[in-house]
Amino acid sequence: MTNVTPGPLYPFKESPSQTAGPYVHIGLTPNFCGIEGVYDQDLGIAMVSDKTRGERITVEGRVFDGAGTPLKDVLVEIWQADTDGLYNSPAEQRGTADPAFTGWGRCAADQTTGHFRFETIKPGRVPFTDGRLQAPHINIWIVARGINLGLNTRIYFEDEADANAADPVFERFEHKDRVATLIARGGNGKYSHDIHLQGPQETVFFDI
Amino acid sequence: MKSNQTPIANFFPRDRSWHPKAYTPDYKTSVLRSPSRALIAFGNSLSETTGPAFGHDMIGPLDNDLVLNFASPGMSAIGERVIVHGRVLDERGQPVPNVLIEFWQANAGGRYRHKKDGYLAPLDPNFGGCGRTLSGDDGAFAFRTIRPGPYPWPNGPNDWRPAHIHFSVFGHGFAQRLITQMYFEGDPLIPRCPIVRTINDPKAIDQLTARLDMNASAPMDALAYRFDIVLRGSRSTLFENRLEGN
């Protein structure tokens, strides 16, 4: 019998990514860029309400390119657990997350300064694949002109030193000095976190 | 599944040779916006396999009709009226239902409604350029718009983007999050574009090229293009006592 070249094991490949481009705001934050009257409000601008449980925090920062220039056209989305470490997602099977917390936020950077800012809550701890608890963290996804495939990284918190020291994701880092690039500075509910796409301070990005 | 168990539903790893690489110097902006260190990989935890869900109640009746959703009463956008439709599937060929799809584009002359776009082609007072919809139970989606025009951009001295519509798609897990662009069958600008050419494999470019679909057109009203979107598949957790499958 002659050899037959087998067909693909799975019928489809993932649609290849393309850059979000400089006008990403038209689609994802139209009110922000002056296209009003199509949607009542931009998605993802309000994560918390008066009823949300947990410690209120703000996280602010900028995204810098390899020359140290802030990206003024970047769009950032975050995804995080509620104060008990539960995700407000149909895929969450451990319990019911706080219905007054979306867990998901979207922010177009300020077009003059490049600052992004989220008003959210400090997330609870979530188990890793092996059941060990991860340190509190916020998942971030970054798209912009010049970024061909959205970049995934995380924000951890400076005032969670014990949890950070035992975080299972950080164990994967061969170069431990890079852990610091994921830790937001501050406390008492106010954190700042800059992201560097390239260069000596380059933030750790994940293949998740 | 027992409630005290950690669900394991890893997504198929991304094929990063199929996707564009980060550093693609012919697309000049990528030079300083591409990480130079390797990505760090780890298995999907709940932080990656969960993701936000959006309800039908947030979708307005004209959200998927760019011909009308920014137009004054009695007016409509100027240009070639087209219906774009398709399905959201995963790599196993399964439909991905109830996920949010957002899209944005330039008008018929290639001009975006954005203060950073200084192209001399005029704005269309009846065209905004944004829309959104949710996939149905079978993963299907559709919207109506006008075919966008090509436009020049400051990359090389005479670079023009092919006609395209940007797509942003949510899956069921945050790790499926995807932004891409749809091109139109037969456009001679496609193979010349440095952004298209950030993708190495011609088959991958073909996957972003919508086909003219006369069967879905509305006679005497609008042509139609078919564009399917494929998100990452997820592994069956064969040894987790979930006999019903996932």
Side-chain angles (χ1 to χ4, degrees), chain B residues 18-57:
Chain B
W18 177 259
H19 285 285
K21 296 280 201 297
Y23 177 75
T24 49
D26 289 345
Y27 173 28
K28 293 180 179 177
T29 314
S30 76
V31 171
L32 284 173
R33 295 186 172 196
S34 46
S36 56
R37 313 273 303 250
L39 304 181
I40 293 179
F42 55 91
N44 292 157
S45 73
L46 285 156
S47 305
E48 289 75 37
T49 58
T50 59
F54 300 93
H56 288 267
D57 55 343

Side-chain angles (χ1 to χ4, degrees), chain A residues 45 60 65 102 110 141 146 185 189 199 206:
Chain A
I45 55 171
E60 192 175 52
D65 71 13
T102 67
D110 184 283
W141 182 73
R185 304 297 162 194
F206 295 115

Side-chain angles (χ1 to χ4, degrees), chain A residues 2-68:
Chain A
T2 55
N3 278 336
V4 175
T5 304
L9 187 55
Y10 294 99
F12 299 105
K13 297 284 283 184
E14 187 185 9
S15 295
S17 175
Q18 293 270 264
T19 180
Y23 310 126
V24 59
H25 317 101
I26 293 173
L28 302 193
T29 56
N31 291 289
F32 170 83
C33 72
I35 300 175
E36 290 162 355
V38 181
Y39 309 148
D40 288 343
Q41 62 173 25
D42 291 336
L43 270 188
I45 55 171
M47 300 176 70
V48 299
S49 70
D50 294 345
K51 295 182 177 141
T52 306
R53 292 184 291 110
E55 179 195 347
R56 299 295 192 276
I57 63 170
T58 60
V59 180
E60 192 175 52
R62 285 188 288 181
V63 180
F64 293 91
D65 71 13

Side-chain angles (χ1 to χ4, degrees), chain A:
Chain A
M1 191 176 158
T2 55
N3 278 336
V4 175
T5 304
L9 187 55
Y10 294 99
F12 299 105
K13 297 284 283 184
E14 187 185 9
S15 295
S17 175
Q18 293 270 264
T19 180
Y23 310 126
V24 59
H25 317 101
I26 293 173
L28 302 193
T29 56
N31 291 289
F32 170 83
C33 72
I35 300 175
E36 290 162 355
V38 181
Y39 309 148
D40 288 343
Q41 62 173 25
D42 291 336
L43 270 188
I45 55 171
M47 300 176 70
V48 299
S49 70
D50 294 345
K51 295 182 177 141
T52 306
R53 292 184 291 110
E55 179 195 347
R56 299 295 192 276
I57 63 170
T58 60
V59 180
E60 192 175 52
R62 285 188 288 181
V63 180
F64 293 91
D65 71 13
T69 302
L71 275 60
K72 295 167 185 169
D73 50 12
V74 70
L75 183 126
V76 179
E77 289 184 10
I78 63 172
W79 173 240
Q80 64 165 94
D82 71 4
T83 190
D84 297 322
L86 294 169
Y87 283 102
N88 189 349
S89 168
E92 174 62 81
Q93 297 172 29
R94 298 167 299 151
T96 303
D98 181 354
F101 180 59
T102 67
W104 176 77
R106 172 184 279 170
C107 181
D110 184 283
Q111 289 180 290
T112 306
T113 68
H115 281 94
F116 65 82
R117 177 187 169 92
F118 291 97
E119 297 188 17
T120 180
I121 58 150
K122 187 86 151 302
R125 298 179 72 174
V126 176
F128 195 54
T129 53
D130 56 11
R132 285 185 295 161
L133 287 177
Q134 306 179 77
H137 64 275
I138 295 173
N139 307 285
I140 327 177
W141 182 73
I142 298 165
V143 293
R145 173 173 69 100
I147 296 176
N148 290 324
L149 174 58
L151 294 167
N152 290 101
T153 178
R154 288 181 169 194
I155 298 176
Y156 290 77
F157 301 94
E158 184 177 25
D159 53 3
E160 298 284 347
D162 291 346
N164 291 341
D167 184 78
V169 169
F170 289 154
E171 280 182 11
R172 308 296 299 256
F173 292 28
E174 182 181 0
H175 303 107
K176 297 299 181 195
D177 58 326
R178 301 199 70 206
V179 167
T181 68
L182 300 188
I183 297 181
R185 304 297 162 194
N188 298 320
K190 289 195 185 301
Y191 298 91
S192 66
H193 185 68
D194 287 338
I195 292 164
H196 297 267
L197 298 181
Q198 192 188 88
Q201 305 175 80
E202 188 172 312
T203 300
V204 169
F205 298 101
F206 295 115
D207 184 5
I208 59 173

